[in-house]
């Protein structure tokens, strides 16, 4: 299995043969130099020159991959936000699977989580002061540490360096010591950015969206093109795609990526070949509860961990304060579209009209 060249991708995605594009048309470039430049001149095709993907995006195929993902044991673990969301000075409250949860850090910086309601008079323990690792309820000053006390016991909690997790008793899930983390590039050599976006749907609708890569070139033409699923390398547990990430309507970066689900509420895209090999995009779907109309709400937390073994990437990391907002903006733009997909899928399922 190897990365298709941009010419291969053009041919498969448009049904036409294409020559390998030069960085600068008509300007010869030694192969040793060309190999160090990930950018390709790959013009964005018009819709009438693209191959329709609806025959390839078989509902049964997506449903089979979704069924495999939903059979994964999540161990009762839920993503509660980014690691940077929880500091040492005050607590943070979240609603997860209908439960109020409070998070803070103890004196050593270790993540602590527990029920969000104070056992005294039920105060929501959000933005409570934390001093030397002890949290004090804002209403009457009841003190909490990472230990059980009358009416209150801590939950399992884990900080993986990018995201914070809470372990809750969950029917049908066998508790595990830690969440099932996918392989990541070394964090010290990466740039990590996290976004969170709520939607009216269930976690499975978020996962199903990402198990349909065939919509990428059509639904997100500003971000992707020349997307081809490698059927020979794919199955119901892993999907392998060749795709060009668009930088403009003329320029793009071709890569090979694979999608897999380490647990029932997570799907991961990992770049396996091409520029940024080893980089991952983790999409986590955390059920929140129901809204005032009784509809389920899900928080989509997406962590992009960008990595490259190119020497220049080390210098780029110095500009991470500039890179992170750009990564977040791109991720949010994609989820404007993908939330339409996930919420529409949920709505159709509720009406008994979803064809998958």
């Amino acid at each position: 299995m190897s990365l298709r060249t941009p010419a291969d991708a053009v041919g498969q995605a448009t049904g036409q043969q294409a020559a390998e594009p030069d960085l600068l048309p008509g300007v010869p470039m030694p192969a040793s130099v060309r190999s160090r430049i990930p950018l390709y001149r790959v013009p964005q095709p018009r819709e009438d020159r693209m191959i329709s993907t609806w025959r390839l995006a078989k509902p049964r195929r997506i449903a089979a991959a979704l069924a495999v993902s939903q059979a994964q044991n999540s161990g009762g673990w839920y993503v509660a936000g980014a690691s940077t969301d929880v500091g040492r000075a005050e607590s943070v409250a979240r609603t997860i699977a209908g439960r109020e949860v409070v998070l803070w850090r103890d004196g050593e910086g270790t993540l602590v989580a527990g029920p969000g309601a104070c056992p005294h008079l039920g105060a929501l323990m959000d933005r409570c002061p934390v001093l030397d690792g002890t949290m004090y309820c804002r209403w009457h000053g009841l003190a909490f540490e990472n230990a059980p006390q009358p009416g209150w016991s801590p939950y399992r909690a884990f900080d993986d360096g990018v995201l914070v997790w809470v372990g809750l008793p969950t029917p049908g899930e066998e508790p595990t010591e830690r969440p099932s983390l996918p392989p990541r590039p070394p964090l010290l050599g990466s740039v990590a950015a996290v976004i969170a976006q709520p939607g009216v749907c269930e976690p499975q609708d978020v996962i199903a969206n990402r198990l349909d890569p065939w919509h990428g070139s059509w639904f997100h033409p500003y971000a992707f093109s020349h997307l081809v699923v490698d059927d020979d390398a794919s199955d119901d547990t892993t999907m392998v795609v060749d795709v060009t990430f668009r930088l403009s309507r003329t320029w793009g970066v071709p890569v090979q990526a694979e999608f897999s689900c380490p647990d029932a509420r997570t799907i991961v895209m990992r770049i396996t070949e091409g520029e940024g090999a080893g980089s991952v995009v983790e999409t986590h779907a955390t059920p929140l509860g129901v809204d005032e109309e009784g509809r389920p709400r899900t928080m989509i937390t997406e962590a992009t961990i960008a990595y490259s073994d190119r020497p220049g990437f080390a210098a780029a990391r110095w500009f991470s304060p500039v890179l992170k907002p750009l990564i977040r903006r791109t991720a949010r733009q994609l989820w404007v579209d993908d939330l339409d997909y996930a919420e529409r899928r949920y709505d159709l399922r509720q009406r008994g009209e979803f064809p998958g």
Side-chain angles (χ1 to χ4, degrees):
M1 184 174 65
S2 60
L3 176 64
R4 290 180 177 86
T5 66
D8 296 331
V10 169
Q12 290 191 303
T14 65
Q16 301 177 358
Q17 294 299 315
E20 185 73 32
D22 293 321
L23 184 62
L24 296 174
V27 179
M29 184 175 294
S32 59
V33 175
R34 187 66 187 88
S35 66
R36 297 198 298 269
I37 302 175
L39 188 65
Y40 281 81
R41 189 176 185 278
V42 189
Q44 171 76 39
R46 298 189 324 183
E47 285 82 355
D48 60 358
R49 300 190 66 184
M50 294 166 57
I51 291 179
S52 297
T53 57
W54 66 271
R55 288 187 177 86
L56 300 173
K58 296 180 173 64
R60 288 186 180 181
R61 181 174 183 180
I62 297 170
L66 180 63
V68 170
S69 75
Q70 297 307 287
Q72 299 282 87
N73 179 37
S74 298
W77 288 99
Y78 300 84
V79 167
S83 295
T84 53
D85 290 345
V86 185
R88 295 190 178 215
E90 65 179 20
S91 65
V92 175
R94 295 281 192 267
T95 299
I96 299 174
R99 299 179 184 222
E100 293 174 342
V101 176
V102 63
L103 304 102
W104 77 94
R105 296 189 184 277
D106 66 15
E108 297 179 352
T110 301
L111 184 70
V112 182
C118 179
H120 174 223
L121 284 176
L124 177 61
M125 295 187 289
D126 187 30
R127 295 180 291 112
C128 294
V130 177
L131 301 173
D132 299 323
T134 299
M135 180 189 68
Y136 297 87
C137 177
R138 294 175 61 208
W139 279 18
H140 301 94
L142 183 59
F144 295 83
E145 296 181 343
N146 191 11
Q149 63 187 65
W152 191 92
S153 285
Y155 296 137
R156 291 171 293 155
F158 186 74
D159 185 340
D160 65 26
V162 177
L163 302 169
V164 289
W165 302 70
V166 175
L168 301 175
T170 303
E173 295 186 9
E174 184 68 25
T176 56
E177 183 179 355
R178 291 187 174 186
S180 299
L181 297 178
R184 290 173 171 172
L187 291 181
L188 290 178
S190 306
V191 175
V194 180
I195 67 162
Q197 185 72 40
V200 178
C201 60
E202 295 179 336
Q204 65 153 297
D205 300 302
V206 175
I207 303 302
N209 167 266
R210 289 299 163 93
L211 288 173
D212 170 19
W214 297 276
H215 77 268
S217 293
W218 283 93
F219 205 34
H220 309 296
Y222 52 86
F224 308 112
S225 69
H226 307 97
L227 188 151
V228 178
V229 176
D230 188 336
D231 290 323
D232 293 335
S234 302
D235 55 29
D236 289 341
T237 63
T238 304
M239 193 170 295
V240 179
V241 303
D242 290 280
V243 62
T244 294
F245 288 107
R246 304 240 41 105
L247 300 180
S248 70
R249 293 194 61 84
T250 303
W251 303 96
V253 178
V255 302
Q256 186 173 85
E258 65 178 29
F259 292 81
S260 60
C261 297
D263 67 59
R265 292 181 286 274
T266 299
I267 185 165
V268 179
M269 183 197 75
R270 178 180 299 104
I271 297 178
T272 54
E273 293 190 43
E275 177 60 21
S279 300
V280 298
V281 177
E282 301 176 7
T283 304
H284 303 271
T286 299
L288 302 178
V290 297
D291 63 14
E292 62 278 1
E293 298 179 23
R295 302 175 302 175
R297 299 184 71 247
T298 294
M299 182 65 75
I300 300 158
T301 305
E302 189 160 275
T304 301
I305 307 174
Y307 173 80
S308 175
D309 58 5
R310 293 181 183 272
F313 188 74
R317 289 184 59 246
W318 286 98
F319 296 94
S320 61
V322 176
L323 291 176
K324 289 182 180 182
L326 295 176
I327 294 172
R328 294 190 188 102
R329 184 177 67 182
T330 299
R332 290 189 188 281
Q333 185 178 15
L334 287 171
W335 273 111
V336 168
D337 295 336
D338 281 340
L339 258 180
D340 284 345
Y341 182 124
E343 292 180 336
R344 174 69 173 174
R345 183 181 188 274
Y346 167 75
D347 188 44
L348 290 174
R349 288 195 300 109
Q350 291 303 108
R351 287 153 45 183
E353 299 176 5
F354 183 66

